[in-house]
Amino acid sequence: MKKFQLSKDVYVKTVAIRVKDVEKMVNFYKNVLGFVLKLEENNLSILGSQEKNSRLLILEETDTEDQVVGAFEKAFCFSLLIPTEEEFGSVLRRISSHQYPIERAVQSANRRSVFIIDPEGNELEVSVQIAVNDGPDQQETFSVQTLVHESRVLYSSLSPEVHFDRLKIPMENRAGYFHFYKDILGMGTDQEHEEDLLLDNGGFVVHLDDSANVVSENRTDEETLGIDFFVIPLKNEEDMLKLKEHLERKQQEFFVDKKLTILTIFDPGKIEWWFVRNE
């Protein structure tokens, strides 16, 4: 039987995180980074780009008093890809104007990135692919202030082409996670980097990080701040049906509605993956 794989154009459209202070978090993502606030309803705040149907980030406010910031120190990191160097400079200007600290600024090959920590400890990489063919193979630092001074355009908010393109997931058992993402969810593999799995024909990278330090061993999953779920669009009912039948053969627990519009499954770290049919 042919090995199951997700369609090559599948990607992570939305990252949802549990938060403690939604007002502070909305202010950071909207004003410091330029996200557009799309909707506030009940305990959810949905943010995206200028694109009409963009839903890049969901902030889910939780009122549990005994919250901890995840099971891993600086565990999750998601990467926001900015489409042009001009807009990247604008984002850096926005961050600098709010005097928000940048943890590090590095360039490797043709990828230039800054790393920041949001108000509740989630790490975010903001990146751009630059137009050079001879960038450094090893990471090198670059001057944020130089790019800020060179920036001539200030974008009012994130452009429609901005999207997530990388995700770092911490774990203590990389082999178990690798098996789940590759054999159960049908992600592709990277021959050069064995810790990476691929979506969107290699355009979206899931990096498995087993170097994180556990900081809370007695927490429950319901009490954990940090990543809650991901949303992955599937283009048609056929793709949804193939995934459903594959999971049934693998005897995996999952939920799917009768109309085959949404399928959800938990990974080994109890993060929920939502596969949602577009049509």
Side-chain angles (χ1 to χ4, degrees), residues 75-225:
F76 294 98
C77 176
F78 39 100
S79 300
L80 194 68
L81 185 64
I82 308 300
T84 66
E85 294 180 64
E86 179 182 77
E87 184 175 358
F88 183 71
S90 173
V91 174
L92 295 184
R93 280 179 64 187
R94 182 186 293 274
I95 295 171
S96 297
S97 69
H98 284 83
Q99 298 182 324
Y100 201 89
I102 292 176
E103 299 293 310
R104 62 190 188 279
V106 297
Q107 180 178 334
S108 180
N110 67 335
R111 187 180 180 95
R112 185 174 287 165
S113 304
V114 294
F115 292 82
I116 56 180
I117 307 296
D118 77 12
E120 296 196 359
N122 303 292
E123 187 177 26
L124 179 68
E125 176 190 12
V126 182
S127 298
V128 66
Q129 301 285 354
I130 60 177
V132 297
N133 296 319
D134 56 353
D137 292 330
Q138 301 298 321
Q139 283 192 353
E140 294 183 356
T141 60
F142 67 89
S143 171
V144 171
Q145 287 305 313
T146 297
L147 295 185
V148 169
H149 292 318
E150 292 175 351
S151 176
R152 296 292 181 265
V153 179
L154 183 61
Y155 286 64
S156 61
S157 54
L158 296 177
S159 70
E161 294 78 17
V162 172
H163 62 278
F164 292 120
D165 77 326
R166 290 185 181 182
L167 173 68
K168 182 180 76 175
I169 299 180
M171 81 295 299
E172 296 176 286
N173 176 16
R174 194 178 70 83
Y177 276 77
F178 189 89
H179 162 72
F180 180 85
Y181 291 135
K182 176 177 177 289
D183 299 326
I184 304 302
L185 292 190
M187 294 184 185
T189 56
D190 188 329
Q191 301 300 320
E192 295 183 4
H193 304 94
E194 61 179 15
E195 67 276 10
D196 291 346
L197 295 111
L198 307 176
L199 293 170
D200 194 21
N201 208 21
F204 192 98
V205 177
V206 177
H207 176 78
L208 303 181
D209 178 24
D210 57 4
S211 63
N213 296 318
V214 176
V215 297
S216 177
E217 297 179 352
N218 57 0
R219 55 87 180 175
T220 64
D221 295 307
E222 291 76 18
E223 293 177 340
T224 304
L225 296 177

